[in-house]
Amino acid sequence: ERNNISVGAKISDGSQYSTAIGIDALESLTTGVKNTAVGKYTMANTTTGQKNSAIGYKTMWKKQSGSNNAALG
């Protein structure tokens, strides 16, 4: 991991400066920078993107790509 923080999930080595807290949070991320996911399944299907923030159970869990998004749910 490259300057990533993860608790309950492992972030891909293709990501930088991202934070995942929760089971399967950011689990599919292959490339991305400065993403934050807090909650079970939060951003679980996101594969690419940067500067996204999501907090809450399954928040943005179906979003596969994108940048500069924020979601609370």
Side-chain angles (χ1 to χ4, degrees):
E1 296 178 33
R2 298 169 32 192
N3 297 309
N4 295 313
I5 297 171
S6 59
V7 177
K10 183 189 183 301
I11 301 175
S12 165
D13 289 336
S15 176
Q16 287 185 297
Y17 307 107
S18 293
T19 302
I21 299 173
I23 295 171
D24 296 333
L26 285 177
E27 74 169 338
S28 299
L29 189 67
T30 54
T31 58
V33 178
K34 299 180 182 174
N35 292 293
T36 301
V38 179
K40 186 174 184 180
Y41 305 125
T42 303
M43 295 177 62
N45 291 317
T46 302
T47 55
T48 60
Q50 62 182 355
K51 299 180 183 174
N52 295 300
S53 296
I55 299 171
Y57 175 71
K58 286 190 174 180
T59 306
M60 290 177 47
W61 78 293
K62 292 241 178 193
K63 184 159 188 65
Q64 293 184 340
S65 63
S67 297
N68 303 308
N69 294 292
L72 177 65

